[in-house]
Amino acid sequence: MRYTIKLVIIFMFFVNIIGCTLNIKPKDSTLKSELNHALEKNVEIPESLPEDIPFPKDMQAKKIIDNETVSQIIIETSFSMNDLEVMYESYLNSDTFSSKPEKIISDEYGLYIVTYTTEYEGEIFEISIIEKEETAFKEVHYLSRYNY
């Protein structure tokens, strides 16, 4: 499982670097409105992501990805790692998910990463909180994988 998580993290960074945004679909209007404001453009929320994901108040949306393999929202925030962990541990232990989250911590290559993995509507759902040494901002990836 740890090998899989590392591959997913590498994949997320690769996708982030090349900047893919494909087949965007409509979703919950509140979440859509928040992301539209953060991205300063009209976007649609991937249908495979939960509509009740809590976002930090100061979020800056960076990217939305939706294709045959993955749906993902990437944001930045100045919230502390501890505040983000508390928020997402509470959320991921809610009735929205069919399994308890697995928490994996990685501290390598100048990145401190906390990844939670659980199941949502029969698919793998992950939230990764990434803290880079050289910046005060944390990057948060909300990821749902399907056809995996």
Side-chain angles (χ1 to χ4, degrees):
M1 182 68 165
R2 291 179 193 266
Y3 180 73
T4 302
I5 296 300
K6 286 184 179 183
L7 285 176
V8 168
I9 291 168
I10 291 168
F11 171 75
M12 289 186 311
F13 282 115
F14 174 72
V15 170
N16 193 21
I17 289 168
I18 62 171
C20 294
T21 304
L22 305 170
N23 302 327
I24 304 302
K25 303 172 196 159
K27 184 82 177 193
D28 175 74
S29 61
T30 304
L31 179 59
K32 179 181 174 182
S33 174
E34 289 175 13
L35 287 169
N36 283 341
H37 177 71
L39 287 170
E40 297 177 351
K41 59 183 171 182
N42 191 22
V43 297
E44 303 294 338
I45 307 308
E47 290 182 10
S48 64
L49 295 175
E51 59 187 48
D52 62 346
I53 297 172
F55 288 96
K57 298 274 186 229
D58 71 339
M59 78 166 189
Q60 292 183 310
K62 295 297 180 187
K63 198 166 288 189
I64 297 177
I65 299 162
D66 191 16
N67 60 40
E68 298 155 358
T69 308
V70 66
S71 290
Q72 183 176 30
I73 299 173
I74 301 170
I75 68 156
E76 277 188 350
T77 180
S78 64
F79 275 38
S80 72
M81 285 297 283
N82 187 57
D83 288 346
L84 290 168
E85 287 182 57
V86 168
M87 180 170 58
Y88 292 120
E89 282 179 16
S90 174
Y91 172 65
L92 292 168
N93 279 296
S94 71
D95 292 338
T96 299
F97 302 96
S98 55
S99 65
K100 295 296 177 196
E102 178 182 352
K103 180 179 181 178
I104 297 174
I105 297 173
S106 174
D107 192 2
E108 301 179 87
Y109 312 109
L111 300 172
Y112 180 74
I113 304 169
V114 177
T115 300
Y116 299 95
T117 304
T118 188
E119 195 171 306
Y120 173 71
E121 295 185 351
E123 305 295 344
I124 295 171
F125 178 75
E126 294 177 352
I127 294 179
S128 294
I129 307 166
I130 303 165
E131 183 174 48
K132 300 174 186 177
E133 285 180 355
E134 68 275 0
T135 179
F137 289 97
K138 280 49 150 208
E139 195 169 272
V140 183
H141 295 241
Y142 309 90
L143 173 69
S144 181
R145 291 183 288 166
Y146 44 95
N147 295 332
Y148 180 68

PDB file of all heavy atoms in Angstrom, residues 52-85:
ATOM      1  N   ASP A  52     -19.447  17.364  -0.127  1.00  0.00           N
ATOM      2  CA  ASP A  52     -19.375  18.022   1.176  1.00  0.00           C
ATOM      3  C   ASP A  52     -17.939  18.176   1.689  1.00  0.00           C
ATOM      4  O   ASP A  52     -17.710  18.344   2.887  1.00  0.00           O
ATOM      5  CB  ASP A  52     -20.218  17.264   2.199  1.00  0.00           C
ATOM      6  CG  ASP A  52     -19.733  15.837   2.440  1.00  0.00           C
ATOM      7  OD1 ASP A  52     -18.913  15.324   1.634  1.00  0.00           O
ATOM      8  OD2 ASP A  52     -20.173  15.225   3.428  1.00  0.00           O
ATOM      9  N   ILE A  53     -16.955  18.150   0.800  1.00  0.00           N
ATOM     10  CA  ILE A  53     -15.553  18.307   1.207  1.00  0.00           C
ATOM     11  C   ILE A  53     -15.383  19.668   1.883  1.00  0.00           C
ATOM     12  O   ILE A  53     -15.728  20.692   1.303  1.00  0.00           O
ATOM     13  CB  ILE A  53     -14.599  18.239  -0.012  1.00  0.00           C
ATOM     14  CG1 ILE A  53     -14.670  16.884  -0.701  1.00  0.00           C
ATOM     15  CG2 ILE A  53     -13.161  18.542   0.419  1.00  0.00           C
ATOM     16  CD1 ILE A  53     -13.903  16.822  -2.022  1.00  0.00           C
ATOM     17  N   PRO A  54     -14.815  19.693   3.096  1.00  0.00           N
ATOM     18  CA  PRO A  54     -14.552  20.992   3.723  1.00  0.00           C
ATOM     19  C   PRO A  54     -13.285  21.624   3.138  1.00  0.00           C
ATOM     20  O   PRO A  54     -12.272  20.945   2.958  1.00  0.00           O
ATOM     21  CB  PRO A  54     -14.353  20.638   5.201  1.00  0.00           C
ATOM     22  CG  PRO A  54     -13.895  19.228   5.201  1.00  0.00           C
ATOM     23  CD  PRO A  54     -14.501  18.578   3.989  1.00  0.00           C
ATOM     24  N   PHE A  55     -13.361  22.898   2.817  1.00  0.00           N
ATOM     25  CA  PHE A  55     -12.201  23.614   2.289  1.00  0.00           C
ATOM     26  C   PHE A  55     -11.767  24.670   3.297  1.00  0.00           C
ATOM     27  O   PHE A  55     -12.595  25.292   3.944  1.00  0.00           O
ATOM     28  CB  PHE A  55     -12.540  24.314   0.965  1.00  0.00           C
ATOM     29  CG  PHE A  55     -12.710  23.379  -0.180  1.00  0.00           C
ATOM     30  CD1 PHE A  55     -13.964  22.939  -0.540  1.00  0.00           C
ATOM     31  CD2 PHE A  55     -11.620  22.951  -0.895  1.00  0.00           C
ATOM     32  CE1 PHE A  55     -14.124  22.073  -1.611  1.00  0.00           C
ATOM     33  CE2 PHE A  55     -11.771  22.094  -1.966  1.00  0.00           C
ATOM     34  CZ  PHE A  55     -13.027  21.647  -2.318  1.00  0.00           C
ATOM     35  N   PRO A  56     -10.458  24.907   3.416  1.00  0.00           N
ATOM     36  CA  PRO A  56      -9.987  26.012   4.256  1.00  0.00           C
ATOM     37  C   PRO A  56     -10.549  27.331   3.722  1.00  0.00           C
ATOM     38  O   PRO A  56     -10.683  27.510   2.514  1.00  0.00           O
ATOM     39  CB  PRO A  56      -8.463  25.971   4.094  1.00  0.00           C
ATOM     40  CG  PRO A  56      -8.154  24.614   3.565  1.00  0.00           C
ATOM     41  CD  PRO A  56      -9.358  24.180   2.789  1.00  0.00           C
ATOM     42  N   LYS A  57     -10.867  28.243   4.608  1.00  0.00           N
ATOM     43  CA  LYS A  57     -11.472  29.525   4.214  1.00  0.00           C
ATOM     44  C   LYS A  57     -10.586  30.335   3.273  1.00  0.00           C
ATOM     45  O   LYS A  57     -11.064  31.062   2.433  1.00  0.00           O
ATOM     46  CB  LYS A  57     -11.791  30.367   5.453  1.00  0.00           C
ATOM     47  CG  LYS A  57     -12.778  29.722   6.379  1.00  0.00           C
ATOM     48  CD  LYS A  57     -14.176  30.030   5.959  1.00  0.00           C
ATOM     49  CE  LYS A  57     -15.143  29.483   6.992  1.00  0.00           C
ATOM     50  NZ  LYS A  57     -16.211  28.721   6.444  1.00  0.00           N
ATOM     51  N   ASP A  58      -9.255  30.189   3.413  1.00  0.00           N
ATOM     52  CA  ASP A  58      -8.338  30.992   2.584  1.00  0.00           C
ATOM     53  C   ASP A  58      -7.826  30.236   1.359  1.00  0.00           C
ATOM     54  O   ASP A  58      -6.837  30.626   0.756  1.00  0.00           O
ATOM     55  CB  ASP A  58      -7.151  31.469   3.419  1.00  0.00           C
ATOM     56  CG  ASP A  58      -6.196  30.342   3.775  1.00  0.00           C
ATOM     57  OD1 ASP A  58      -6.595  29.147   3.740  1.00  0.00           O
ATOM     58  OD2 ASP A  58      -5.033  30.634   4.100  1.00  0.00           O
ATOM     59  N   MET A  59      -8.536  29.173   0.982  1.00  0.00           N
ATOM     60  CA  MET A  59      -8.030  28.344  -0.111  1.00  0.00           C
ATOM     61  C   MET A  59      -7.823  29.127  -1.397  1.00  0.00           C
ATOM     62  O   MET A  59      -8.546  30.070  -1.697  1.00  0.00           O
ATOM     63  CB  MET A  59      -8.967  27.178  -0.383  1.00  0.00           C
ATOM     64  CG  MET A  59     -10.197  27.551  -1.157  1.00  0.00           C
ATOM     65  SD  MET A  59     -11.023  26.094  -1.782  1.00  0.00           S
ATOM     66  CE  MET A  59     -12.235  26.854  -2.835  1.00  0.00           C
ATOM     67  N   GLN A  60      -6.821  28.708  -2.134  1.00  0.00           N
ATOM     68  CA  GLN A  60      -6.589  29.193  -3.483  1.00  0.00           C
ATOM     69  C   GLN A  60      -6.591  27.954  -4.372  1.00  0.00           C
ATOM     70  O   GLN A  60      -5.677  27.131  -4.284  1.00  0.00           O
ATOM     71  CB  GLN A  60      -5.261  29.922  -3.597  1.00  0.00           C
ATOM     72  CG  GLN A  60      -5.226  31.222  -2.838  1.00  0.00           C
ATOM     73  CD  GLN A  60      -3.911  31.936  -3.047  1.00  0.00           C
ATOM     74  OE1 GLN A  60      -2.845  31.358  -2.901  1.00  0.00           O
ATOM     75  NE2 GLN A  60      -3.995  33.202  -3.400  1.00  0.00           N
ATOM     76  N   ALA A  61      -7.636  27.791  -5.169  1.00  0.00           N
ATOM     77  CA  ALA A  61      -7.728  26.627  -6.044  1.00  0.00           C
ATOM     78  C   ALA A  61      -6.693  26.744  -7.151  1.00  0.00           C
ATOM     79  O   ALA A  61      -6.543  27.803  -7.753  1.00  0.00           O
ATOM     80  CB  ALA A  61      -9.123  26.511  -6.621  1.00  0.00           C
ATOM     81  N   LYS A  62      -5.975  25.668  -7.387  1.00  0.00           N
ATOM     82  CA  LYS A  62      -4.916  25.665  -8.397  1.00  0.00           C
ATOM     83  C   LYS A  62      -5.295  24.875  -9.653  1.00  0.00           C
ATOM     84  O   LYS A  62      -4.948  25.250 -10.749  1.00  0.00           O
ATOM     85  CB  LYS A  62      -3.624  25.080  -7.805  1.00  0.00           C
ATOM     86  CG  LYS A  62      -3.045  25.916  -6.692  1.00  0.00           C
ATOM     87  CD  LYS A  62      -2.655  27.269  -7.229  1.00  0.00           C
ATOM     88  CE  LYS A  62      -2.070  28.154  -6.180  1.00  0.00           C
ATOM     89  NZ  LYS A  62      -1.840  29.497  -6.642  1.00  0.00           N
ATOM     90  N   LYS A  63      -5.992  23.768  -9.461  1.00  0.00           N
ATOM     91  CA  LYS A  63      -6.247  22.917 -10.618  1.00  0.00           C
ATOM     92  C   LYS A  63      -7.406  21.967 -10.334  1.00  0.00           C
ATOM     93  O   LYS A  63      -7.584  21.520  -9.217  1.00  0.00           O
ATOM     94  CB  LYS A  63      -4.994  22.098 -10.905  1.00  0.00           C
ATOM     95  CG  LYS A  63      -4.941  21.513 -12.289  1.00  0.00           C
ATOM     96  CD  LYS A  63      -3.540  21.039 -12.584  1.00  0.00           C
ATOM     97  CE  LYS A  63      -2.733  22.213 -12.771  1.00  0.00           C
ATOM     98  NZ  LYS A  63      -1.595  22.581 -13.137  1.00  0.00           N
ATOM     99  N   ILE A  64      -8.189  21.685 -11.372  1.00  0.00           N
ATOM    100  CA  ILE A  64      -9.216  20.656 -11.323  1.00  0.00           C
ATOM    101  C   ILE A  64      -8.947  19.715 -12.479  1.00  0.00           C
ATOM    102  O   ILE A  64      -8.770  20.151 -13.611  1.00  0.00           O
ATOM    103  CB  ILE A  64     -10.630  21.246 -11.438  1.00  0.00           C
ATOM    104  CG1 ILE A  64     -10.908  22.148 -10.241  1.00  0.00           C
ATOM    105  CG2 ILE A  64     -11.663  20.131 -11.522  1.00  0.00           C
ATOM    106  CD1 ILE A  64     -12.251  22.822 -10.294  1.00  0.00           C
ATOM    107  N   ILE A  65      -8.916  18.430 -12.159  1.00  0.00           N
ATOM    108  CA  ILE A  65      -8.629  17.413 -13.168  1.00  0.00           C
ATOM    109  C   ILE A  65      -9.762  16.392 -13.134  1.00  0.00           C
ATOM    110  O   ILE A  65     -10.191  15.973 -12.061  1.00  0.00           O
ATOM    111  CB  ILE A  65      -7.287  16.703 -12.866  1.00  0.00           C
ATOM    112  CG1 ILE A  65      -6.153  17.721 -12.890  1.00  0.00           C
ATOM    113  CG2 ILE A  65      -7.035  15.562 -13.852  1.00  0.00           C
ATOM    114  CD1 ILE A  65      -4.896  17.245 -12.207  1.00  0.00           C
ATOM    115  N   ASP A  66     -10.254  15.995 -14.283  1.00  0.00           N
ATOM    116  CA  ASP A  66     -11.287  14.967 -14.359  1.00  0.00           C
ATOM    117  C   ASP A  66     -11.106  14.213 -15.666  1.00  0.00           C
ATOM    118  O   ASP A  66     -11.314  14.778 -16.735  1.00  0.00           O
ATOM    119  CB  ASP A  66     -12.676  15.606 -14.288  1.00  0.00           C
ATOM    120  CG  ASP A  66     -13.775  14.585 -14.087  1.00  0.00           C
ATOM    121  OD1 ASP A  66     -13.478  13.431 -13.697  1.00  0.00           O
ATOM    122  OD2 ASP A  66     -14.948  14.938 -14.312  1.00  0.00           O
ATOM    123  N   ASN A  67     -10.669  12.968 -15.559  1.00  0.00           N
ATOM    124  CA  ASN A  67     -10.507  12.143 -16.755  1.00  0.00           C
ATOM    125  C   ASN A  67     -10.906  10.711 -16.461  1.00  0.00           C
ATOM    126  O   ASN A  67     -11.518  10.442 -15.429  1.00  0.00           O
ATOM    127  CB  ASN A  67      -9.075  12.258 -17.319  1.00  0.00           C
ATOM    128  CG  ASN A  67      -8.016  11.811 -16.339  1.00  0.00           C
ATOM    129  OD1 ASN A  67      -8.186  10.831 -15.617  1.00  0.00           O
ATOM    130  ND2 ASN A  67      -6.915  12.525 -16.294  1.00  0.00           N
ATOM    131  N   GLU A  68     -10.562   9.769 -17.314  1.00  0.00           N
ATOM    132  CA  GLU A  68     -11.000   8.382 -17.177  1.00  0.00           C
ATOM    133  C   GLU A  68     -10.407   7.667 -15.973  1.00  0.00           C
ATOM    134  O   GLU A  68     -10.914   6.650 -15.540  1.00  0.00           O
ATOM    135  CB  GLU A  68     -10.638   7.603 -18.452  1.00  0.00           C
ATOM    136  CG  GLU A  68     -11.322   8.143 -19.668  1.00  0.00           C
ATOM    137  CD  GLU A  68     -10.567   7.822 -20.950  1.00  0.00           C
ATOM    138  OE1 GLU A  68      -9.491   7.219 -20.884  1.00  0.00           O
ATOM    139  OE2 GLU A  68     -11.059   8.206 -22.011  1.00  0.00           O
ATOM    140  N   THR A  69      -9.333   8.169 -15.407  1.00  0.00           N
ATOM    141  CA  THR A  69      -8.637   7.499 -14.328  1.00  0.00           C
ATOM    142  C   THR A  69      -8.751   8.202 -12.984  1.00  0.00           C
ATOM    143  O   THR A  69      -8.756   7.559 -11.947  1.00  0.00           O
ATOM    144  CB  THR A  69      -7.130   7.377 -14.675  1.00  0.00           C
ATOM    145  OG1 THR A  69      -7.028   6.784 -15.958  1.00  0.00           O
ATOM    146  CG2 THR A  69      -6.400   6.535 -13.668  1.00  0.00           C
ATOM    147  N   VAL A  70      -8.850   9.516 -13.000  1.00  0.00           N
ATOM    148  CA  VAL A  70      -8.769  10.268 -11.751  1.00  0.00           C
ATOM    149  C   VAL A  70      -9.593  11.553 -11.819  1.00  0.00           C
ATOM    150  O   VAL A  70      -9.734  12.154 -12.880  1.00  0.00           O
ATOM    151  CB  VAL A  70      -7.286  10.592 -11.428  1.00  0.00           C
ATOM    152  CG1 VAL A  70      -6.701  11.534 -12.440  1.00  0.00           C
ATOM    153  CG2 VAL A  70      -7.092  11.131 -10.031  1.00  0.00           C
ATOM    154  N   SER A  71     -10.161  11.933 -10.667  1.00  0.00           N
ATOM    155  CA  SER A  71     -10.755  13.256 -10.487  1.00  0.00           C
ATOM    156  C   SER A  71      -9.992  13.897  -9.347  1.00  0.00           C
ATOM    157  O   SER A  71      -9.756  13.251  -8.319  1.00  0.00           O
ATOM    158  CB  SER A  71     -12.229  13.161 -10.116  1.00  0.00           C
ATOM    159  OG  SER A  71     -12.976  12.702 -11.209  1.00  0.00           O
ATOM    160  N   GLN A  72      -9.621  15.148  -9.500  1.00  0.00           N
ATOM    161  CA  GLN A  72      -8.766  15.763  -8.497  1.00  0.00           C
ATOM    162  C   GLN A  72      -8.990  17.271  -8.442  1.00  0.00           C
ATOM    163  O   GLN A  72      -9.188  17.915  -9.463  1.00  0.00           O
ATOM    164  CB  GLN A  72      -7.303  15.470  -8.823  1.00  0.00           C
ATOM    165  CG  GLN A  72      -6.320  15.993  -7.823  1.00  0.00           C
ATOM    166  CD  GLN A  72      -4.895  15.573  -8.156  1.00  0.00           C
ATOM    167  OE1 GLN A  72      -4.546  15.387  -9.312  1.00  0.00           O
ATOM    168  NE2 GLN A  72      -4.089  15.425  -7.147  1.00  0.00           N
ATOM    169  N   ILE A  73      -8.962  17.805  -7.225  1.00  0.00           N
ATOM    170  CA  ILE A  73      -8.946  19.240  -6.991  1.00  0.00           C
ATOM    171  C   ILE A  73      -7.671  19.519  -6.201  1.00  0.00           C
ATOM    172  O   ILE A  73      -7.382  18.832  -5.223  1.00  0.00           O
ATOM    173  CB  ILE A  73     -10.169  19.715  -6.187  1.00  0.00           C
ATOM    174  CG1 ILE A  73     -11.461  19.414  -6.933  1.00  0.00           C
ATOM    175  CG2 ILE A  73     -10.055  21.213  -5.876  1.00  0.00           C
ATOM    176  CD1 ILE A  73     -12.717  19.699  -6.135  1.00  0.00           C
ATOM    177  N   ILE A  74      -6.922  20.510  -6.626  1.00  0.00           N
ATOM    178  CA  ILE A  74      -5.686  20.885  -5.938  1.00  0.00           C
ATOM    179  C   ILE A  74      -5.838  22.329  -5.468  1.00  0.00           C
ATOM    180  O   ILE A  74      -6.168  23.208  -6.267  1.00  0.00           O
ATOM    181  CB  ILE A  74      -4.464  20.755  -6.863  1.00  0.00           C
ATOM    182  CG1 ILE A  74      -4.337  19.317  -7.367  1.00  0.00           C
ATOM    183  CG2 ILE A  74      -3.189  21.205  -6.136  1.00  0.00           C
ATOM    184  CD1 ILE A  74      -3.318  19.136  -8.476  1.00  0.00           C
ATOM    185  N   ILE A  75      -5.605  22.543  -4.171  1.00  0.00           N
ATOM    186  CA  ILE A  75      -5.688  23.892  -3.612  1.00  0.00           C
ATOM    187  C   ILE A  75      -4.418  24.198  -2.820  1.00  0.00           C
ATOM    188  O   ILE A  75      -3.640  23.308  -2.511  1.00  0.00           O
ATOM    189  CB  ILE A  75      -6.907  24.062  -2.680  1.00  0.00           C
ATOM    190  CG1 ILE A  75      -6.728  23.224  -1.414  1.00  0.00           C
ATOM    191  CG2 ILE A  75      -8.194  23.749  -3.396  1.00  0.00           C
ATOM    192  CD1 ILE A  75      -7.507  23.728  -0.232  1.00  0.00           C
ATOM    193  N   GLU A  76      -4.247  25.484  -2.491  1.00  0.00           N
ATOM    194  CA  GLU A  76      -3.216  25.922  -1.554  1.00  0.00           C
ATOM    195  C   GLU A  76      -3.901  26.643  -0.413  1.00  0.00           C
ATOM    196  O   GLU A  76      -4.952  27.255  -0.596  1.00  0.00           O
ATOM    197  CB  GLU A  76      -2.220  26.874  -2.214  1.00  0.00           C
ATOM    198  CG  GLU A  76      -1.142  26.185  -2.982  1.00  0.00           C
ATOM    199  CD  GLU A  76      -0.062  27.145  -3.456  1.00  0.00           C
ATOM    200  OE1 GLU A  76      -0.233  28.377  -3.360  1.00  0.00           O
ATOM    201  OE2 GLU A  76       0.952  26.643  -3.932  1.00  0.00           O
ATOM    202  N   THR A  77      -3.290  26.577   0.773  1.00  0.00           N
ATOM    203  CA  THR A  77      -3.819  27.240   1.953  1.00  0.00           C
ATOM    204  C   THR A  77      -2.678  27.589   2.894  1.00  0.00           C
ATOM    205  O   THR A  77      -1.613  26.974   2.842  1.00  0.00           O
ATOM    206  CB  THR A  77      -4.843  26.341   2.687  1.00  0.00           C
ATOM    207  OG1 THR A  77      -5.336  27.027   3.839  1.00  0.00           O
ATOM    208  CG2 THR A  77      -4.229  25.021   3.116  1.00  0.00           C
ATOM    209  N   SER A  78      -2.913  28.560   3.761  1.00  0.00           N
ATOM    210  CA  SER A  78      -1.927  28.888   4.788  1.00  0.00           C
ATOM    211  C   SER A  78      -2.296  28.248   6.127  1.00  0.00           C
ATOM    212  O   SER A  78      -1.610  28.464   7.122  1.00  0.00           O
ATOM    213  CB  SER A  78      -1.786  30.400   4.943  1.00  0.00           C
ATOM    214  OG  SER A  78      -3.003  30.950   5.395  1.00  0.00           O
ATOM    215  N   PHE A  79      -3.375  27.453   6.173  1.00  0.00           N
ATOM    216  CA  PHE A  79      -3.738  26.754   7.403  1.00  0.00           C
ATOM    217  C   PHE A  79      -2.564  25.891   7.848  1.00  0.00           C
ATOM    218  O   PHE A  79      -1.814  25.373   7.017  1.00  0.00           O
ATOM    219  CB  PHE A  79      -4.951  25.858   7.175  1.00  0.00           C
ATOM    220  CG  PHE A  79      -6.285  26.547   7.300  1.00  0.00           C
ATOM    221  CD1 PHE A  79      -6.488  27.831   6.837  1.00  0.00           C
ATOM    222  CD2 PHE A  79      -7.357  25.891   7.864  1.00  0.00           C
ATOM    223  CE1 PHE A  79      -7.719  28.457   6.935  1.00  0.00           C
ATOM    224  CE2 PHE A  79      -8.590  26.495   7.970  1.00  0.00           C
ATOM    225  CZ  PHE A  79      -8.779  27.783   7.513  1.00  0.00           C
ATOM    226  N   SER A  80      -2.441  25.678   9.141  1.00  0.00           N
ATOM    227  CA  SER A  80      -1.351  24.849   9.670  1.00  0.00           C
ATOM    228  C   SER A  80      -1.609  23.377   9.359  1.00  0.00           C
ATOM    229  O   SER A  80      -2.758  22.964   9.142  1.00  0.00           O
ATOM    230  CB  SER A  80      -1.221  25.027  11.183  1.00  0.00           C
ATOM    231  OG  SER A  80      -2.308  24.400  11.851  1.00  0.00           O
ATOM    232  N   MET A  81      -0.556  22.594   9.343  1.00  0.00           N
ATOM    233  CA  MET A  81      -0.691  21.149   9.123  1.00  0.00           C
ATOM    234  C   MET A  81      -1.630  20.568  10.170  1.00  0.00           C
ATOM    235  O   MET A  81      -2.500  19.760   9.850  1.00  0.00           O
ATOM    236  CB  MET A  81       0.663  20.448   9.182  1.00  0.00           C
ATOM    237  CG  MET A  81       1.534  20.640   7.967  1.00  0.00           C
ATOM    238  SD  MET A  81       0.834  19.952   6.434  1.00  0.00           S
ATOM    239  CE  MET A  81       1.143  18.212   6.659  1.00  0.00           C
ATOM    240  N   ASN A  82      -1.458  20.975  11.421  1.00  0.00           N
ATOM    241  CA  ASN A  82      -2.288  20.446  12.505  1.00  0.00           C
ATOM    242  C   ASN A  82      -3.765  20.769  12.265  1.00  0.00           C
ATOM    243  O   ASN A  82      -4.622  19.882  12.409  1.00  0.00           O
ATOM    244  CB  ASN A  82      -1.834  20.999  13.861  1.00  0.00           C
ATOM    245  CG  ASN A  82      -2.578  20.339  14.997  1.00  0.00           C
ATOM    246  OD1 ASN A  82      -2.558  19.127  15.143  1.00  0.00           O
ATOM    247  ND2 ASN A  82      -3.260  21.151  15.792  1.00  0.00           N
ATOM    248  N   ASP A  83      -4.081  22.007  11.908  1.00  0.00           N
ATOM    249  CA  ASP A  83      -5.484  22.382  11.649  1.00  0.00           C
ATOM    250  C   ASP A  83      -6.066  21.571  10.491  1.00  0.00           C
ATOM    251  O   ASP A  83      -7.216  21.135  10.545  1.00  0.00           O
ATOM    252  CB  ASP A  83      -5.606  23.874  11.348  1.00  0.00           C
ATOM    253  CG  ASP A  83      -5.386  24.741  12.578  1.00  0.00           C
ATOM    254  OD1 ASP A  83      -5.410  24.207  13.713  1.00  0.00           O
ATOM    255  OD2 ASP A  83      -5.167  25.962  12.408  1.00  0.00           O
ATOM    256  N   LEU A  84      -5.280  21.372   9.449  1.00  0.00           N
ATOM    257  CA  LEU A  84      -5.748  20.598   8.295  1.00  0.00           C
ATOM    258  C   LEU A  84      -5.957  19.132   8.675  1.00  0.00           C
ATOM    259  O   LEU A  84      -6.956  18.518   8.288  1.00  0.00           O
ATOM    260  CB  LEU A  84      -4.758  20.716   7.137  1.00  0.00           C
ATOM    261  CG  LEU A  84      -4.696  22.098   6.478  1.00  0.00           C
ATOM    262  CD1 LEU A  84      -3.486  22.197   5.556  1.00  0.00           C
ATOM    263  CD2 LEU A  84      -5.981  22.408   5.721  1.00  0.00           C
ATOM    264  N   GLU A  85      -5.027  18.576   9.432  1.00  0.00           N
ATOM    265  CA  GLU A  85      -5.170  17.177   9.853  1.00  0.00           C
ATOM    266  C   GLU A  85      -6.421  16.988  10.710  1.00  0.00           C
ATOM    267  O   GLU A  85      -7.177  16.031  10.501  1.00  0.00           O
ATOM    268  CB  GLU A  85      -3.929  16.711  10.608  1.00  0.00           C
ATOM    269  CG  GLU A  85      -2.733  16.505   9.700  1.00  0.00           C
ATOM    270  CD  GLU A  85      -1.514  15.993  10.450  1.00  0.00           C
ATOM    271  OE1 GLU A  85      -1.626  14.932  11.097  1.00  0.00           O
ATOM    272  OE2 GLU A  85      -0.467  16.664  10.402  1.00  0.00           O
TER     273      GLU A  85
END
